[in-house]
Amino acid sequence: MRIDNVEFNYVNLLRPKQFGDQDPKYSLMIVFPVDHPQVDELKQAITDAKKEKWGGRASRMTSLKTPLKEGPYVTNNGDESVPEGHYYMTISTAYNPDRPRNGQPRIVDSQKQDITDPEDIYSGCIGNVVMAIKAYDLTTSKGVTGYVQAVQVTEKRESKAGDVSADVFDVVEDGFTRDASDLFDDAA
């Protein structure tokens, strides 16, 4: 399914990220208001995935995990990354060296040109997302999740990560410096 005009948070789409002992994956959180015009379509896709996997008993399975959650979402350091009155959903896809682009979702701009620069996709951008909604049945848990397939950045906004000036540091004498001439000193 495709959902349009959502905000991106925790963007890990250009390089896969490994969380704990899990396999590396590409992921992002999408955030949108509870009155978003596609909420009912998304909820129906989640219901359909449950019914496809478990049939009529899905409605009685109360412990099923669902990818769609309602804010607020507050991080461990107290930052509210999803405000009240918004839904959020973390979607991902596994890094897979046997798949095209290693399983990386297609990432494009508003003109459908590929994005490869982290300056063009980050937490705070707005865009459209294509994802597959599927049920899973593991020994440890059961539920529904979203697999990100493609992302289109339609609007760049201020980064949610913020920008910290280098002025917060002191100069470290005789410390590491990224001076290109240093790379060739030993080669002579």
Side-chain angles (χ1 to χ4, degrees):
M1 87 160 281
R2 178 176 146 173
I3 186 165
D4 295 334
N5 200 32
V6 295
E7 180 180 296
F8 305 154
N9 273 351
Y10 306 104
V11 177
N12 294 299
L13 293 172
L14 296 175
R15 284 184 299 190
K17 185 171 182 176
Q18 187 169 359
F19 297 93
D21 61 353
Q22 295 179 350
D23 291 333
K25 53 176 117 174
Y26 302 96
S27 64
L28 83 154
M29 177 189 284
I30 57 173
V31 179
F32 46 95
V34 294
D35 62 352
H36 187 283
Q38 292 177 276
V39 166
D40 290 339
E41 181 184 354
L42 180 56
K43 287 180 176 180
Q44 187 61 54
I46 292 168
T47 299
D48 291 347
K50 290 178 188 177
K51 286 180 181 175
E52 182 179 320
K53 184 78 172 175
W54 296 288
R57 41 185 205 129
S59 62
R60 297 186 305 276
M61 298 172 77
T62 57
S63 63
L64 291 177
K65 293 184 178 183
T66 180
L68 185 63
K69 296 174 176 48
E70 192 167 346
Y73 175 81
V74 180
T75 63
N76 290 338
N77 65 1
D79 293 336
E80 185 179 280
S81 62
V82 178
E84 193 168 332
H86 285 72
Y87 284 118
Y88 64 98
M89 185 173 168
T90 299
I91 55 179
S92 64
T93 192
Y95 166 81
N96 184 340
D98 297 328
R99 294 189 60 214
R101 297 183 319 278
N102 295 321
Q104 181 187 36
R106 174 71 66 190
I107 308 164
V108 298
D109 64 16
S110 62
Q111 301 302 303
K112 301 197 281 186
Q113 302 298 312
D114 286 337
I115 290 177
T116 58
D117 187 337
E119 294 289 321
D120 293 329
I121 184 162
Y122 51 82
S123 297
C125 287
I126 303 296
N128 308 322
V129 175
V130 175
M131 63 184 146
I133 305 293
K134 300 284 185 182
Y136 61 90
D137 190 345
L138 306 173
T139 55
T140 56
S141 66
K142 299 175 187 340
V144 176
T145 193
Y147 295 97
V148 60
Q149 297 174 316
V151 175
Q152 181 182 39
V153 177
T154 59
E155 182 180 346
K156 289 172 63 173
R157 292 189 178 173
E158 184 176 335
S159 172
K160 290 222 169 201
D163 190 15
V164 178
S165 168
D167 293 337
V168 299
F169 297 107
D170 297 323
V171 172
V172 178
E173 296 300 326
D174 299 322
F176 168 78
T177 181
R178 190 158 168 35
D179 182 0
S181 63
D182 293 344
L183 297 174
F184 304 103
D185 285 346
D186 296 330

